Amino acid sequence: MHHATSFSRRSLLGLGAAAAGLAIAPRVWAQAATPAAPAGPFSLPKRAYEAAALEPHIDATTMDIHYNRHHAAYVAGLNAVAKDHGVLAQTPLQQLLGDLGKVPEAARTAVRNSGGGHANHTMFWEVMGPNAGGAPTGEVAAAITRDLGGFDKFKTDFDTAGLRVFGSGWVFVTVTKDGKLALASKPNQDSPLMDKQMVLIGNDVWEHAYYLKYQNRRADYLKSWWNVIDWSKVNTRYAAAKAGKLAI
């Protein structure tokens, strides 16, 4: 009963109301169905593809809600707290997350949750794309074979880690400056950035990432997600990590 009640509340606040408004909205990133996040130092990243570009693996309505509602809410939360704490606007996000203990106490929870959400989603949109998927390429393919047992084993281990996340969270691949890869999972909007690690890729296993299409079938969503990974973008992130220039 508790689960049904909490989901109903979430539906009203997140999915139901959003879906109703989005039914008649253009499904294009540049034409958001909601007002832009309040002005401030943080902003939604521009995406290179439309909301329907990842169909059928991720449906356009979910992409709209995820980007224009959920990610925008994290940006708004960060901007709201930055108004009262100027240091937030002057510090790179990865540094704020990597040194949460140095963030003013009154802003720390907002930076952890909204800042983590902003960083995680910025990475998430970047590593996906249309006409993508398939086997990894380039240096990333070699690193997956070397560090994660090959692509098939890596996919199985990654998806298993995603299934094991209780409630909401993420599954990531971290990368060191010498190019070594490792799996990590985190609850809520926590990020390996909070452990001063760099993130190569990550998949969002919050229900808002998949529930409209997959309902409770998180395993199906995880398997389908491999069809939208853009390995060329992942290789760009890998090269940036080895150069010490990968931020979020």
Side-chain angles (χ1 to χ4, degrees):
M1 182 64 69
H2 173 74
H3 177 75
T5 301
S6 62
F7 178 70
S8 298
R9 188 183 307 119
R10 225 176 308 145
S11 296
L12 288 171
L13 295 176
L15 300 178
L22 288 163
I24 57 171
R27 291 189 173 117
V28 181
W29 296 125
Q31 297 171 301
T34 54
F42 303 98
S43 61
L44 276 171
K46 301 295 183 188
R47 293 298 80 204
Y49 47 86
E50 296 183 359
L54 305 187
E55 294 266 14
H57 311 292
I58 301 178
D59 60 288
T61 303
T62 292
M63 290 291 282
D64 261 319
I65 295 170
H66 203 167
Y67 179 84
N68 292 321
R69 303 295 178 103
H70 291 283
H71 192 172
Y74 298 129
V75 173
L78 266 180
N79 284 336
V81 76
K83 289 180 182 177
D84 298 322
H85 301 277
V87 66
L88 303 186
Q90 300 160 15
T91 309
L93 181 56
Q94 68 269 27
Q95 186 176 329
L96 291 173
L97 295 175
D99 291 306
L100 276 171
K102 296 181 181 177
V103 173
E105 188 174 358
R108 200 170 298 153
T109 297
V111 170
R112 179 175 201 133
N113 294 335
S114 292
H118 182 32
N120 286 340
H121 285 87
T122 298
M123 171 278 302
F124 188 58
W125 312 128
E126 184 178 303
V127 301
M128 299 188 296
N131 306 310
T137 56
E139 289 193 32
V140 166
I144 287 172
T145 296
R146 182 190 69 225
D147 299 330
L148 300 173
F151 188 42
D152 289 341
K153 182 179 187 303
F154 160 55
K155 280 198 298 183
T156 298
D157 292 346
F158 186 95
D159 290 351
T160 298
L163 281 173
R164 284 179 180 158
V165 172
F166 182 77
S168 300
W170 290 73
V171 55
F172 299 97
V173 174
T174 61
V175 56
T176 64
K177 194 171 178 181
D178 62 4
K180 184 171 178 59
L181 306 182
L183 289 178
S185 55
K186 294 286 183 182
N188 304 313
Q189 291 297 348
D190 284 2
S191 164
L193 297 170
M194 296 171 185
D195 303 318
K196 293 185 169 64
Q197 297 177 324
M198 292 183 287
V199 175
L200 181 66
I201 63 171
N203 194 2
D204 187 349
V205 295
W206 282 62
E207 286 184 344
H208 66 233
Y210 62 87
Y211 212 86
L212 291 182
K213 179 175 177 68
Y214 297 94
Q215 292 82 51
N216 64 320
R217 302 188 308 278
R218 185 190 287 183
D220 291 349
Y221 160 72
L222 284 161
K223 287 185 178 117
S224 192
W225 185 72
W226 296 106
N227 293 295
V228 298
I229 289 197
D230 186 334
W231 291 111
S232 66
K233 296 287 182 61
V234 178
N235 270 294
T236 298
R237 289 180 65 85
Y238 187 72
K242 291 178 71 176
K245 295 179 179 177
L246 182 61
I248 57 176

